[in-house]
Amino acid sequence: MNWNWTKGTLAVAVASAGVAMVMLAAPANAGVEATSSSTVSADAGHGTQQHTRAIVTTWESAWSENRPDAMAALFTRDATYTDLAFGATWHGQAEIGQWVTKTHSAIKNARVKVSSFFRGDNQIAIQWTFSGMMPGATKPFAVPATTIMKLRGERIVTNADYYNLADLLKQSGLPADWAVPGN
């Protein structure tokens, strides 16, 4: 596959088998800030490194600590939050906050652990691990995930989560055709 990258591009490709693969790229001259457990680069020039870190850490703690109001406050009024593995999208701050609550009521010990992130222009890419115990599961899961956020000003206008649902179900001891109870 041939990719042509432009300044500050974050591109996502979804495989036809339904497994999300994420390709993230930003050329060295795009002014990207990156963070991992061991490195932090210079400010991207669009929002401070400190503010980007605040968005990411608040997003992480809102998920892990079941704080729907904190999650909703990160987003614009007209924002969307999409979980591509489950094929669901929530619209607006209220629905996004409710998604956090619903996740915690359905997934025992739901946690998000960010391992790295970077920002280029008005986008943030986050690598993280999603873990917990699915309803009816015999074992907990911990799957790698990636999130792409687009910002308007310093608030999130779109959030897209990518992780492999087949791996999550397999780790959980659930069948591949498992469906959310009650749906």
Side-chain angles (χ1 to χ4, degrees):
M1 183 171 280
N2 184 12
W3 295 91
N4 293 316
W5 301 107
T6 59
K7 181 179 178 185
T9 299
L10 301 176
V12 177
V14 178
S16 61
V19 176
M21 298 180 340
V22 179
M23 304 283 302
L24 306 174
N29 65 353
V32 172
E33 68 179 70
T35 299
S36 70
S37 57
S38 61
T39 62
V40 177
S41 75
D43 181 12
H46 294 86
T48 66
Q49 179 181 19
Q50 181 179 7
H51 189 74
T52 301
R53 183 180 302 278
I55 291 171
V56 173
T57 57
T58 301
W59 179 86
E60 176 183 35
S61 68
W63 273 121
S64 293
E65 299 168 12
N66 191 11
R67 296 175 44 224
D69 292 340
M71 180 66 77
L74 292 171
F75 288 81
T76 62
R77 288 189 181 118
D78 62 340
T80 59
Y81 193 118
T82 302
D83 180 321
L84 282 103
F86 281 101
T89 300
W90 296 267
H91 304 273
Q93 292 171 317
E95 283 186 16
I96 292 167
Q98 290 169 1
W99 172 228
V100 172
T101 301
K102 287 178 182 181
T103 297
H104 278 272
S105 63
I107 301 174
K108 185 178 177 181
N109 298 319
R111 297 287 181 270
V112 165
K113 179 64 179 157
V114 171
S115 55
S116 66
F117 64 92
F118 69 88
R119 180 174 181 166
D121 296 327
N122 69 334
Q123 298 179 77
I124 299 173
I126 306 170
Q127 288 185 303
W128 52 286
T129 300
F130 178 33
S131 62
M133 184 83 153
M134 296 296 288
T138 59
K139 303 179 280 186
F141 69 88
V143 294
T146 300
T147 293
I148 305 297
M149 296 174 174
K150 292 183 183 174
L151 306 177
R152 183 184 308 136
E154 293 302 316
R155 293 198 183 264
I156 304 165
V157 69
T158 63
N159 183 113
D161 291 347
Y162 300 85
Y163 55 93
N164 188 325
L165 181 58
D167 282 349
L168 185 153
L169 295 174
K170 184 177 179 181
Q171 287 180 25
S172 297
L174 294 169
D177 62 351
W178 178 89
V180 176
N183 283 350

